[in-house]
Amino acid sequence: MTLVFEIAKTHLLSKPKQTIVAMLGVTFGIGMFVAMVSLMTGLNDMTENLAMTSSPDIHIYHDNTLERKSIAEEINPGGVNVVYHSKPKNETPKVRNALRMAEIIRKHPEVRGVSAQLTSQVFYNYGPIQLNGQVSGVDILEEDRLFNIQGKMKQGRMEDLIVNQDGIIMGTGLARKLKAKTGDRVVITTPQGFTMTLKIVGLFQMGIGAIDNVKSYANISTVQNILQRDKSYLTDINIKLYDFNLAKDIAPEFQKTFGYKAEDWETANATMLLGVIIRNILTYSVSITLLIVAGFGIYNILNMTIMNKMKDIAILKAMGFSGGDVKNIFMIQSLTIGLLGSVLGLAIGFLLSYLIAQAPFDGGDVLSIDHLPVNFKLKYYVVGILFGVATTAVAGYLPSRKAAKLDPIEIIRGQ
Amino acid sequence: MENVLRTHKITKYFYDPEKFQVLKGIDLTVNRGEFLSLVGKSGCGKSTLMYILSTMDTDYEGELEISGQRLTGKSLNELAAFRNAHIGFVFQFHYLLPEFTALQNIMIPALKLARYSRAEVEARAYAKLEMLGIQDFARKPTNKLSGGQQQRVAIARALINDPDIIMGDEPTGNLDSYNTHMVFDIFAELTHRYKQTIIAVTHDDEFARKSDRIIEMSDGTIISN
């Protein structure tokens, strides 16, 4: 076997240019793969992280857009009941016994935190500016346990909300649009026409425009006051689990127990997760294309080498090298090209990822990031080298097998 | 006398472009230490016969036995291993590997056989080069050698594993008369001094005449022995 290695080595070294060109093909493919996969998974992780930090694992609410049975159905079950143009029932989004439900849910072994709250669409008025948005009445300490509000405060202190009954903590994007600062008073108008003036006691930033630009937090009782509702009026229960991957399994359980819509984060963030899937498809299709091109390069070069080395192959076989030995000679060459090319590719990939990670990137209103997120995970480097070696093994196998099957007499006699 | 090679009724057909019988029941016995020339007109089947004798061509009917081993019906890998240990080749063209030095070329079949250590193989290869008077070129790449020198390196390579038979296909076919004589002298010395069996296909009547035994073929049969 060492002899076979030696011959393979001599072949590679005797045509250094050809060897390097073949190697660079793999290097380029793997380098791009590593760089792309690092950036794409970095983006994926970041979006997933943002989604996880700002949206609950399970969200329980009263979904009054659900199809409901008409009254005709109730009186005449099983009959042919047709109701034309039925109007939606005048229902409040109230979740009954929300606090009691929250207590029951809190006892579930997988649940890390529960926050019962009420949310309403509102208009924010500050001077001449009027903006559409949303206000959540929360127990801020509970909410903090779920979403780490403390860590996301940009101005003011979270605890100020507890002592200020008419206080409000506003998203930074919303405050910027209103041109309001901490300490300013904004007027809030509900869809029902009630208004109230609240004082901004702090600003928070989740990092997603969809939240920072519309949302603010106030005390539960304050929001109940604005809406002119009673003390039991709550509209949402947000739940965080220890393992967010279980949300999909646990949500239906809650929905069945409580009779309210329980939505898991994957369903709520379906569009975002679609983005993740599309990025993955892109990454792998581009990388695989690059590798296939590199593979064809190797296939070509090896084919040419074998064409040039027909005489050598014939004499080796005459002298007693088996087909397997000849195949090994060329497989070793192709795998060496693949291995060295891949290792070099990993280095290039790392360098590219490093450069990408340095490049400044303004996420604008949508995402609060200043650099592109890049993953430096060993996993992708291992996948990269496996990909590289596998491609070259396939690309090398076909010509090598041809060399192995070569009939020496044809070549020796053909001279 | 001990025989080293024996065939029994070797028959072979070519199928392309149409079925044609090249060899018609060849019975041949070669004794150890014989220098045998295989002659005949082009197309008489002498080269075909030699490639069957060399075990490289397995598509024939009949039986082949070398050094007491029946080789008919063995697998290609078994035959490759057998050639490595028992048969040396000298072709019309030298077929040296151009990337390797003369010494390395000679060593390759021995390293493949792995009967001796690398150091011993190198010493033996060097001894063969000395025997053929080309030790000065040992470290040279083979494409820097002249035709005669290359053919001598090829002979040294054929000898390295002490084969039972050296098979030559027109071993002097591509050489000038000076080198032809030299190759012939080497073959003659090998047979007479070292009892080396040589079977050579040749067009060169003078070369054939000087060998120990001439087998003349015509239309797939041996006509004089």
Side-chain angles (χ1 to χ4, degrees):
Chain A
M1 198 63 188
T2 49
L3 179 60
V4 168
F5 267 104
E6 239 172 275
I7 295 172
K9 192 179 102 188
T10 312
H11 279 176
L12 283 177
L13 293 180
S14 69
K15 287 242 171 67
K17 256 190 213 159
Q18 205 180 47
T19 309
I20 287 169
V21 167
M23 236 169 67
L24 286 181
V26 184
T27 302
F28 188 66
I30 299 293
M32 283 309 289
F33 168 74
V34 169
M36 273 188 71
V37 102
S38 299
L39 174 61
M40 292 300 186
T41 56
L43 282 169
N44 286 349
D45 287 3
M46 185 198 66
T47 38
E48 197 175 275
N49 246 325
L50 283 176
M52 290 325 296
T53 50
S54 58
S55 72
D57 292 346
I58 299 174
H59 177 207
I60 297 179
Y61 62 101
H62 184 179
D63 189 358
N64 54 12
T65 60
L66 278 179
E67 275 297 310
R68 61 188 170 85
K69 278 185 188 172
S70 71
I71 195 152
E73 196 83 33
E74 275 170 42
I75 322 171
N76 180 20
V80 182
N81 304 300
V82 182
V83 179
Y84 286 105
H85 199 47
S86 76
K87 228 174 126 189
K89 198 175 163 194
N90 189 12
E91 277 181 320
T92 62
K94 178 176 175 172
V95 174
R96 283 171 219 280
N97 287 324
L99 289 171
R100 176 84 191 107
M101 274 164 62
E103 256 167 66
I104 296 168
I105 290 166
R106 195 166 283 133
K107 286 184 188 128
H108 194 284
E110 296 292 343
V111 170
R112 202 186 60 191
V114 183
S115 166
Q117 52 187 267
L118 71 163
T119 313
S120 174
Q121 294 293 320
V122 288
F123 285 106
Y124 296 97
N125 303 300
Y126 182 67
I129 305 168
Q130 200 172 57
L131 283 176
N132 189 7
Q134 189 190 58
V135 67
S136 288
V138 295
D139 177 346
I140 198 71
L141 295 175
E142 280 284 2
E143 193 72 4
D144 179 45
R145 214 165 293 146
L146 263 62
F147 297 114
N148 184 23
I149 305 292
Q150 193 82 270
K152 284 159 187 149
M153 293 300 293
K154 292 288 159 189
Q155 270 181 40
R157 292 186 326 124
M158 185 188 84
E159 290 80 2
D160 290 348
L161 189 66
I162 306 167
V163 291
N164 277 300
Q165 259 318 305
D166 59 347
I168 190 170
I169 299 179
M170 198 175 263
T172 46
L174 183 58
R176 198 178 59 242
K177 284 185 179 178
L178 286 170
K179 307 208 189 312
K181 294 191 193 70
T182 313
D184 289 344
R185 290 183 168 274
V186 291
V187 178
I188 288 180
T189 314
T190 66
Q192 288 80 21
F194 307 117
T195 61
M196 189 178 245
T197 308
L198 296 176
K199 184 182 160 197
I200 302 172
V201 297
L203 300 179
F204 72 89
Q205 186 178 38
M206 291 286 186
I208 299 180
I211 289 173
D212 293 339
N213 292 348
V214 294
K215 190 167 183 173
S216 43
Y217 287 116
N219 288 304
I220 293 180
S221 55
T222 315
V223 180
Q224 282 166 345
N225 271 338
I226 310 174
L227 295 173
Q228 312 259 312
R229 297 287 182 177
D230 59 278
K231 290 283 168 203
S232 67
Y233 184 80
L234 293 169
T235 58
D236 305 83
I237 299 174
N238 284 345
I239 303 165
K240 275 277 180 189
L241 304 176
Y242 289 105
D243 179 4
F244 63 80
N245 291 317
L246 294 175
K248 220 173 182 156
D249 305 325
I250 295 176
E253 197 180 305
F254 288 156
Q255 180 157 345
K256 211 170 135 216
T257 316
F258 301 115
Y260 286 105
K261 173 91 176 170
E263 192 179 55
D264 61 272
W265 66 275
E266 281 176 73
T267 314
N269 293 300
T271 26
M272 190 200 74
L273 292 174
L274 188 69
V276 170
I277 293 167
I278 288 171
R279 271 193 289 274
N280 280 339
I281 291 173
L282 262 179
T283 308
Y284 282 92
S285 55
V286 170
S287 311
I288 286 169
T289 310
L290 284 171
L291 280 173
I292 288 174
V293 172
F296 271 109
I298 290 177
Y299 174 82
N300 256 335
I301 286 178
L302 220 60
N303 244 341
M304 243 162 57
T305 308
I306 287 166
M307 283 298 195
N308 290 334
K309 298 227 169 296
M310 293 275 237
K311 289 201 291 184
D312 295 29
I313 296 166
I315 190 67
L316 284 172
K317 288 186 129 185
M319 289 189 310
F321 283 70
S322 64
D325 291 330
V326 172
K327 188 161 77 187
N328 285 340
I329 289 175
F330 292 100
M331 276 309 277
I332 288 166
Q333 294 186 42
S334 124
L335 287 176
T336 308
I337 289 171
L339 201 65
L340 292 181
S342 304
V343 170
L344 203 63
L346 296 189
I348 301 248
F350 178 79
L351 196 75
L352 277 176
S353 320
Y354 182 78
L355 289 177
I356 293 170
Q358 300 306 306
F361 179 84
D362 184 9
D365 264 358
V366 186
L367 296 170
S368 63
I369 50 170
D370 47 7
H371 286 100
L372 283 172
V374 177
N375 256 337
F376 290 94
K377 278 189 189 155
L378 184 65
K379 190 175 105 187
Y380 302 118
Y381 291 78
V382 174
V383 171
I385 205 159
L386 288 180
F387 257 17
V389 174
T391 316
T392 48
V394 174
Y397 181 74
L398 301 171
S400 301
R401 199 185 51 176
K402 199 171 87 180
K405 283 187 174 165
L406 207 95
D407 183 359
I409 307 172
E410 254 172 52
I411 290 149
I412 291 168
R413 294 202 67 172
Q415 282 286 333
Chain B
M1 219 181 196
E2 182 195 2
N3 66 55
V4 67
L5 180 146
R6 240 184 36 204
T7 69
H8 179 63
K9 297 242 174 300
I10 286 200
T11 303
K12 180 173 172 78
Y13 296 93
F14 281 159
Y15 297 96
D16 201 32
E18 54 192 28
K19 192 171 175 181
F20 166 71
Q21 191 172 11
V22 219
L23 297 175
K24 300 169 181 165
I26 302 278
D27 283 317
L28 181 65
T29 307
V30 179
N31 295 321
R32 190 168 293 283
E34 242 178 351
F35 182 1
L36 186 148
S37 289
L38 209 51
V39 298
K41 294 202 170 62
S42 270
C44 68
K46 58 186 191 304
S47 286
T48 307
L49 176 62
M50 202 211 71
Y51 284 106
I52 289 172
L53 299 184
S54 77
T55 77
M56 281 205 275
D57 190 348
T58 52
D59 180 22
Y60 60 88
E61 290 157 26
E63 277 180 41
L64 170 67
E65 193 185 296
I66 295 178
S67 305
Q69 282 194 53
R70 187 177 182 274
L71 296 173
T72 308
K74 287 208 182 210
S75 76
L76 289 177
N77 285 349
E78 285 170 318
L79 291 175
F82 182 85
R83 282 198 297 277
N84 185 224
H86 299 279
I87 300 175
F89 287 97
V90 181
F91 300 104
Q92 180 176 2
F93 300 95
H94 55 80
Y95 286 108
L96 298 170
L97 304 183
E99 296 93 353
F100 293 86
T101 64
L103 191 68
Q104 285 171 327
N105 262 288
I106 299 169
M107 287 166 68
I108 285 172
L111 292 173
K112 171 72 190 154
L113 185 63
R115 191 188 288 157
Y116 301 102
S117 74
R118 180 171 280 265
E120 283 170 307
V121 166
E122 191 166 338
R124 287 169 59 82
Y126 206 77
K128 300 288 181 204
L129 282 169
E130 265 179 345
M131 188 175 97
L132 298 174
I134 42 170
Q135 65 275 28
D136 294 345
F137 310 120
R139 307 281 170 196
K140 272 202 174 177
T142 53
N143 50 12
K144 296 277 193 299
L145 303 179
S146 74
Q149 288 161 350
Q150 285 172 334
Q151 197 62 317
R152 275 188 277 174
V153 174
I155 295 170
R157 180 178 63 185
L159 287 169
I160 188 69
N161 283 342
D162 299 323
D164 293 324
I165 307 175
I166 287 189
M167 306 257 181
D169 185 10
E170 306 274 8
T172 60
N174 202 32
L175 299 176
D176 58 19
S177 64
Y178 170 78
N179 282 310
T180 301
H181 276 112
M182 180 198 69
V183 167
F184 180 83
D185 291 343
I186 292 167
F187 278 10
E189 191 185 343
L190 287 172
T191 46
H192 299 140
R193 246 175 90 180
Y194 301 99
K195 293 281 164 246
Q196 177 68 57
T197 316
I198 296 176
I199 301 174
V201 168
T202 185
H203 268 116
D204 184 342
D205 288 338
E206 195 193 341
F207 182 97
R209 234 186 348 266
K210 290 198 282 185
S211 62
D212 301 341
R213 180 178 166 197
I214 301 173
I215 290 178
E216 193 179 352
M217 287 183 65
S218 180
D219 293 334
T221 50
I222 293 173
I223 53 170
S224 83
N225 195 334

